[in-house]
PDB file of all heavy atoms in Angstrom:
ATOM      1  N   HIS U  85      -3.624  -6.767   0.152  1.00  0.00           N
ATOM      2  CA  HIS U  85      -4.829  -7.500  -0.256  1.00  0.00           C
ATOM      3  C   HIS U  85      -5.953  -6.557  -0.670  1.00  0.00           C
ATOM      4  O   HIS U  85      -6.788  -6.897  -1.499  1.00  0.00           O
ATOM      5  CB  HIS U  85      -5.286  -8.419   0.872  1.00  0.00           C
ATOM      6  CG  HIS U  85      -4.401  -9.611   1.032  1.00  0.00           C
ATOM      7  ND1 HIS U  85      -4.250 -10.554   0.051  1.00  0.00           N
ATOM      8  CD2 HIS U  85      -3.592  -9.987   2.035  1.00  0.00           C
ATOM      9  CE1 HIS U  85      -3.393 -11.474   0.448  1.00  0.00           C
ATOM     10  NE2 HIS U  85      -2.965 -11.153   1.649  1.00  0.00           N
ATOM     11  N   LYS U  86      -5.945  -5.367  -0.076  1.00  0.00           N
ATOM     12  CA  LYS U  86      -6.972  -4.390  -0.450  1.00  0.00           C
ATOM     13  C   LYS U  86      -6.774  -3.904  -1.885  1.00  0.00           C
ATOM     14  O   LYS U  86      -7.721  -3.620  -2.605  1.00  0.00           O
ATOM     15  CB  LYS U  86      -6.888  -3.209   0.518  1.00  0.00           C
ATOM     16  CG  LYS U  86      -7.980  -2.178   0.365  1.00  0.00           C
ATOM     17  CD  LYS U  86      -7.812  -1.100   1.423  1.00  0.00           C
ATOM     18  CE  LYS U  86      -8.903  -0.059   1.321  1.00  0.00           C
ATOM     19  NZ  LYS U  86      -8.779   0.951   2.379  1.00  0.00           N
ATOM     20  N   ALA U  88      -5.068  -5.663  -4.295  1.00  0.00           N
ATOM     21  CA  ALA U  88      -4.922  -6.747  -5.261  1.00  0.00           C
ATOM     22  C   ALA U  88      -6.028  -6.796  -6.327  1.00  0.00           C
ATOM     23  O   ALA U  88      -5.722  -7.018  -7.504  1.00  0.00           O
ATOM     24  CB  ALA U  88      -4.821  -8.079  -4.524  1.00  0.00           C
ATOM     25  N   PRO U  89      -7.299  -6.603  -5.971  1.00  0.00           N
ATOM     26  CA  PRO U  89      -8.327  -6.649  -7.034  1.00  0.00           C
ATOM     27  C   PRO U  89      -8.110  -5.591  -8.107  1.00  0.00           C
ATOM     28  O   PRO U  89      -8.423  -5.824  -9.281  1.00  0.00           O
ATOM     29  CB  PRO U  89      -9.626  -6.375  -6.263  1.00  0.00           C
ATOM     30  CG  PRO U  89      -9.335  -6.720  -4.861  1.00  0.00           C
ATOM     31  CD  PRO U  89      -7.886  -6.419  -4.646  1.00  0.00           C
ATOM     32  N   LEU U  92      -5.391  -6.812 -10.444  1.00  0.00           N
ATOM     33  CA  LEU U  92      -5.954  -7.829 -11.341  1.00  0.00           C
ATOM     34  C   LEU U  92      -6.780  -7.172 -12.441  1.00  0.00           C
ATOM     35  O   LEU U  92      -6.723  -7.577 -13.606  1.00  0.00           O
ATOM     36  CB  LEU U  92      -6.871  -8.749 -10.537  1.00  0.00           C
ATOM     37  CG  LEU U  92      -6.317 -10.108 -10.166  1.00  0.00           C
ATOM     38  CD1 LEU U  92      -7.444 -10.981  -9.648  1.00  0.00           C
ATOM     39  CD2 LEU U  92      -5.686 -10.772 -11.385  1.00  0.00           C
ATOM     40  N   ASP U 118       5.717  -9.866   6.174  1.00  0.00           N
ATOM     41  CA  ASP U 118       5.014 -11.133   6.353  1.00  0.00           C
ATOM     42  C   ASP U 118       3.869 -10.875   7.328  1.00  0.00           C
ATOM     43  O   ASP U 118       3.968 -11.171   8.512  1.00  0.00           O
ATOM     44  CB  ASP U 118       5.998 -12.178   6.910  1.00  0.00           C
ATOM     45  CG  ASP U 118       5.316 -13.521   7.087  1.00  0.00           C
ATOM     46  OD1 ASP U 118       4.192 -13.677   6.582  1.00  0.00           O
ATOM     47  OD2 ASP U 118       5.905 -14.389   7.737  1.00  0.00           O
ATOM     48  N   ASN U 119       2.799 -10.264   6.830  1.00  0.00           N
ATOM     49  CA  ASN U 119       1.736  -9.868   7.752  1.00  0.00           C
ATOM     50  C   ASN U 119       0.358 -10.007   7.112  1.00  0.00           C
ATOM     51  O   ASN U 119       0.230 -10.438   5.970  1.00  0.00           O
ATOM     52  CB  ASN U 119       1.967  -8.437   8.240  1.00  0.00           C
ATOM     53  CG  ASN U 119       1.931  -7.424   7.112  1.00  0.00           C
ATOM     54  OD1 ASN U 119       1.352  -7.680   6.062  1.00  0.00           O
ATOM     55  ND2 ASN U 119       2.539  -6.292   7.323  1.00  0.00           N
ATOM     56  N   TYR U 120      -0.656  -9.628   7.860  1.00  0.00           N
ATOM     57  CA  TYR U 120      -2.043  -9.827   7.446  1.00  0.00           C
ATOM     58  C   TYR U 120      -2.426  -9.029   6.207  1.00  0.00           C
ATOM     59  O   TYR U 120      -3.408  -9.344   5.556  1.00  0.00           O
ATOM     60  CB  TYR U 120      -2.981  -9.456   8.604  1.00  0.00           C
ATOM     61  CG  TYR U 120      -2.881  -8.002   9.018  1.00  0.00           C
ATOM     62  CD1 TYR U 120      -3.688  -7.046   8.423  1.00  0.00           C
ATOM     63  CD2 TYR U 120      -1.977  -7.590   9.981  1.00  0.00           C
ATOM     64  CE1 TYR U 120      -3.574  -5.719   8.775  1.00  0.00           C
ATOM     65  CE2 TYR U 120      -1.865  -6.263  10.341  1.00  0.00           C
ATOM     66  CZ  TYR U 120      -2.672  -5.328   9.727  1.00  0.00           C
ATOM     67  OH  TYR U 120      -2.546  -4.023  10.073  1.00  0.00           O
ATOM     68  N   THR U 122      -0.360  -7.993   3.419  1.00  0.00           N
ATOM     69  CA  THR U 122       0.432  -7.974   2.199  1.00  0.00           C
ATOM     70  C   THR U 122       0.291  -9.263   1.395  1.00  0.00           C
ATOM     71  O   THR U 122       0.373 -10.358   1.952  1.00  0.00           O
ATOM     72  CB  THR U 122       1.912  -7.749   2.549  1.00  0.00           C
ATOM     73  OG1 THR U 122       1.999  -6.607   3.390  1.00  0.00           O
ATOM     74  CG2 THR U 122       2.740  -7.531   1.303  1.00  0.00           C
ATOM     75  N   GLN U 124       1.635 -12.165  -0.580  1.00  0.00           N
ATOM     76  CA  GLN U 124       2.963 -12.785  -0.508  1.00  0.00           C
ATOM     77  C   GLN U 124       3.425 -13.203  -1.901  1.00  0.00           C
ATOM     78  O   GLN U 124       3.632 -14.381  -2.180  1.00  0.00           O
ATOM     79  CB  GLN U 124       2.920 -13.978   0.443  1.00  0.00           C
ATOM     80  CG  GLN U 124       2.510 -13.598   1.847  1.00  0.00           C
ATOM     81  CD  GLN U 124       3.494 -12.653   2.508  1.00  0.00           C
ATOM     82  OE1 GLN U 124       4.628 -13.010   2.743  1.00  0.00           O
ATOM     83  NE2 GLN U 124       3.060 -11.423   2.770  1.00  0.00           N
ATOM     84  N   THR U 128       0.758 -15.243  -6.871  1.00  0.00           N
ATOM     85  CA  THR U 128      -0.411 -15.923  -6.335  1.00  0.00           C
ATOM     86  C   THR U 128      -1.695 -15.429  -6.987  1.00  0.00           C
ATOM     87  O   THR U 128      -2.735 -16.059  -6.824  1.00  0.00           O
ATOM     88  CB  THR U 128      -0.528 -15.715  -4.809  1.00  0.00           C
ATOM     89  OG1 THR U 128      -0.592 -14.305  -4.548  1.00  0.00           O
ATOM     90  CG2 THR U 128       0.656 -16.306  -4.072  1.00  0.00           C
ATOM     91  N   ILE U 129      -1.638 -14.297  -7.705  1.00  0.00           N
ATOM     92  CA  ILE U 129      -2.866 -13.830  -8.358  1.00  0.00           C
ATOM     93  C   ILE U 129      -2.745 -13.655  -9.871  1.00  0.00           C
ATOM     94  O   ILE U 129      -3.748 -13.631 -10.552  1.00  0.00           O
ATOM     95  CB  ILE U 129      -3.380 -12.514  -7.724  1.00  0.00           C
ATOM     96  CG1 ILE U 129      -2.299 -11.438  -7.723  1.00  0.00           C
ATOM     97  CG2 ILE U 129      -3.874 -12.743  -6.303  1.00  0.00           C
ATOM     98  CD1 ILE U 129      -2.811 -10.090  -7.259  1.00  0.00           C
TER      99      ILE U 129
ATOM    100  N   ILE M 123     -11.348   2.242   7.346  1.00  0.00           N
ATOM    101  CA  ILE M 123     -10.683   3.235   6.492  1.00  0.00           C
ATOM    102  C   ILE M 123      -9.385   2.681   5.923  1.00  0.00           C
ATOM    103  O   ILE M 123      -9.001   2.998   4.807  1.00  0.00           O
ATOM    104  CB  ILE M 123     -10.458   4.549   7.276  1.00  0.00           C
ATOM    105  CG1 ILE M 123      -9.979   5.674   6.367  1.00  0.00           C
ATOM    106  CG2 ILE M 123      -9.486   4.348   8.420  1.00  0.00           C
ATOM    107  CD1 ILE M 123     -10.001   7.026   7.030  1.00  0.00           C
ATOM    108  N   MET M 124      -8.675   1.820   6.672  1.00  0.00           N
ATOM    109  CA  MET M 124      -7.427   1.240   6.173  1.00  0.00           C
ATOM    110  C   MET M 124      -7.700  -0.093   5.476  1.00  0.00           C
ATOM    111  O   MET M 124      -7.148  -0.371   4.417  1.00  0.00           O
ATOM    112  CB  MET M 124      -6.444   0.973   7.310  1.00  0.00           C
ATOM    113  CG  MET M 124      -6.248   2.128   8.238  1.00  0.00           C
ATOM    114  SD  MET M 124      -5.215   3.391   7.522  1.00  0.00           S
ATOM    115  CE  MET M 124      -3.636   2.892   8.114  1.00  0.00           C
ATOM    116  N   TYR M 126     -10.480  -3.288   4.147  1.00  0.00           N
ATOM    117  CA  TYR M 126     -11.700  -3.312   3.345  1.00  0.00           C
ATOM    118  C   TYR M 126     -12.860  -3.831   4.175  1.00  0.00           C
ATOM    119  O   TYR M 126     -12.670  -4.511   5.185  1.00  0.00           O
ATOM    120  CB  TYR M 126     -11.485  -4.155   2.095  1.00  0.00           C
ATOM    121  CG  TYR M 126     -10.636  -5.383   2.330  1.00  0.00           C
ATOM    122  CD1 TYR M 126     -11.208  -6.602   2.635  1.00  0.00           C
ATOM    123  CD2 TYR M 126      -9.253  -5.295   2.280  1.00  0.00           C
ATOM    124  CE1 TYR M 126     -10.431  -7.712   2.865  1.00  0.00           C
ATOM    125  CE2 TYR M 126      -8.473  -6.401   2.516  1.00  0.00           C
ATOM    126  CZ  TYR M 126      -9.066  -7.607   2.808  1.00  0.00           C
ATOM    127  OH  TYR M 126      -8.290  -8.702   3.059  1.00  0.00           O
ATOM    128  N   PRO M 133      -6.955  -6.082  13.223  1.00  0.00           N
ATOM    129  CA  PRO M 133      -5.626  -6.702  13.207  1.00  0.00           C
ATOM    130  C   PRO M 133      -4.613  -6.143  14.196  1.00  0.00           C
ATOM    131  O   PRO M 133      -3.633  -6.824  14.469  1.00  0.00           O
ATOM    132  CB  PRO M 133      -5.147  -6.498  11.770  1.00  0.00           C
ATOM    133  CG  PRO M 133      -5.996  -5.414  11.233  1.00  0.00           C
ATOM    134  CD  PRO M 133      -7.303  -5.480  11.930  1.00  0.00           C
ATOM    135  N   LYS M 140      -0.593 -11.929  13.504  1.00  0.00           N
ATOM    136  CA  LYS M 140      -0.167 -10.931  12.516  1.00  0.00           C
ATOM    137  C   LYS M 140      -0.102 -11.486  11.100  1.00  0.00           C
ATOM    138  O   LYS M 140      -0.129 -10.750  10.132  1.00  0.00           O
ATOM    139  CB  LYS M 140       1.164 -10.316  12.918  1.00  0.00           C
ATOM    140  CG  LYS M 140       2.394 -11.153  12.616  1.00  0.00           C
ATOM    141  CD  LYS M 140       3.637 -10.367  12.955  1.00  0.00           C
ATOM    142  CE  LYS M 140       4.894 -11.185  12.988  1.00  0.00           C
ATOM    143  NZ  LYS M 140       5.115 -12.167  11.940  1.00  0.00           N
ATOM    144  N   THR M 141      -0.013 -12.803  10.965  1.00  0.00           N
ATOM    145  CA  THR M 141       0.060 -13.366   9.617  1.00  0.00           C
ATOM    146  C   THR M 141      -1.292 -13.914   9.136  1.00  0.00           C
ATOM    147  O   THR M 141      -1.346 -14.556   8.093  1.00  0.00           O
ATOM    148  CB  THR M 141       1.090 -14.502   9.565  1.00  0.00           C
ATOM    149  OG1 THR M 141       0.756 -15.448  10.564  1.00  0.00           O
ATOM    150  CG2 THR M 141       2.494 -13.984   9.793  1.00  0.00           C
ATOM    151  N   LYS M 142      -2.339 -13.679   9.887  1.00  0.00           N
ATOM    152  CA  LYS M 142      -3.636 -14.215   9.455  1.00  0.00           C
ATOM    153  C   LYS M 142      -4.191 -13.360   8.323  1.00  0.00           C
ATOM    154  O   LYS M 142      -4.672 -12.251   8.520  1.00  0.00           O
ATOM    155  CB  LYS M 142      -4.608 -14.213  10.633  1.00  0.00           C
ATOM    156  CG  LYS M 142      -5.918 -14.881  10.322  1.00  0.00           C
ATOM    157  CD  LYS M 142      -6.798 -14.955  11.541  1.00  0.00           C
ATOM    158  CE  LYS M 142      -8.218 -15.287  11.141  1.00  0.00           C
ATOM    159  NZ  LYS M 142      -9.198 -14.616  11.982  1.00  0.00           N
ATOM    160  N   ARG M 143      -4.115 -13.921   7.104  1.00  0.00           N
ATOM    161  CA  ARG M 143      -4.498 -13.149   5.929  1.00  0.00           C
ATOM    162  C   ARG M 143      -5.926 -13.445   5.508  1.00  0.00           C
ATOM    163  O   ARG M 143      -6.400 -14.561   5.671  1.00  0.00           O
ATOM    164  CB  ARG M 143      -3.550 -13.447   4.775  1.00  0.00           C
ATOM    165  CG  ARG M 143      -2.146 -13.075   5.128  1.00  0.00           C
ATOM    166  CD  ARG M 143      -1.175 -13.250   4.002  1.00  0.00           C
ATOM    167  NE  ARG M 143       0.135 -12.932   4.507  1.00  0.00           N
ATOM    168  CZ  ARG M 143       1.013 -13.846   4.928  1.00  0.00           C
ATOM    169  NH1 ARG M 143       0.740 -15.125   4.822  1.00  0.00           N
ATOM    170  NH2 ARG M 143       2.166 -13.472   5.413  1.00  0.00           N
ATOM    171  N   PRO M 145      -7.402 -12.820   2.051  1.00  0.00           N
ATOM    172  CA  PRO M 145      -7.249 -12.271   0.696  1.00  0.00           C
ATOM    173  C   PRO M 145      -8.587 -12.018   0.017  1.00  0.00           C
ATOM    174  O   PRO M 145      -9.512 -12.813   0.143  1.00  0.00           O
ATOM    175  CB  PRO M 145      -6.489 -13.358  -0.049  1.00  0.00           C
ATOM    176  CG  PRO M 145      -6.007 -14.296   0.987  1.00  0.00           C
ATOM    177  CD  PRO M 145      -6.921 -14.181   2.152  1.00  0.00           C
ATOM    178  N   LEU M 146      -8.670 -10.905  -0.690  1.00  0.00           N
ATOM    179  CA  LEU M 146      -9.869 -10.610  -1.475  1.00  0.00           C
ATOM    180  C   LEU M 146      -9.897 -11.435  -2.750  1.00  0.00           C
ATOM    181  O   LEU M 146     -10.944 -11.802  -3.241  1.00  0.00           O
ATOM    182  CB  LEU M 146      -9.887  -9.132  -1.861  1.00  0.00           C
ATOM    183  CG  LEU M 146     -10.350  -8.143  -0.816  1.00  0.00           C
ATOM    184  CD1 LEU M 146     -10.324  -6.742  -1.379  1.00  0.00           C
ATOM    185  CD2 LEU M 146     -11.741  -8.475  -0.336  1.00  0.00           C
ATOM    186  N   PRO M 149      -5.378 -17.247  -3.937  1.00  0.00           N
ATOM    187  CA  PRO M 149      -5.360 -18.297  -2.936  1.00  0.00           C
ATOM    188  C   PRO M 149      -5.010 -17.772  -1.548  1.00  0.00           C
ATOM    189  O   PRO M 149      -4.393 -16.731  -1.414  1.00  0.00           O
ATOM    190  CB  PRO M 149      -4.244 -19.216  -3.438  1.00  0.00           C
ATOM    191  CG  PRO M 149      -3.337 -18.321  -4.196  1.00  0.00           C
ATOM    192  CD  PRO M 149      -4.208 -17.249  -4.793  1.00  0.00           C
ATOM    193  N   ASN M 151      -2.645 -17.775   1.521  1.00  0.00           N
ATOM    194  CA  ASN M 151      -1.237 -18.145   1.582  1.00  0.00           C
ATOM    195  C   ASN M 151      -0.725 -18.062   3.007  1.00  0.00           C
ATOM    196  O   ASN M 151      -1.449 -17.736   3.917  1.00  0.00           O
ATOM    197  CB  ASN M 151      -0.408 -17.268   0.652  1.00  0.00           C
ATOM    198  CG  ASN M 151      -0.747 -15.807   0.785  1.00  0.00           C
ATOM    199  OD1 ASN M 151      -0.615 -15.215   1.844  1.00  0.00           O
ATOM    200  ND2 ASN M 151      -1.212 -15.207  -0.284  1.00  0.00           N
TER     201      ASN M 151
END
Side-chain angles (χ1 to χ4, degrees):
Chain U
H85 287 297
K86 186 177 181 177
L92 257 192
D118 181 12
N119 62 22
Y120 62 90
T122 308
Q124 300 297 296
T128 58
I129 55 173
Chain M
I123 189 169
M124 311 284 268
Y126 38 93
K140 79 175 167 43
T141 55
K142 186 175 165 215
R143 299 184 183 97
L146 280 181
N151 46 60

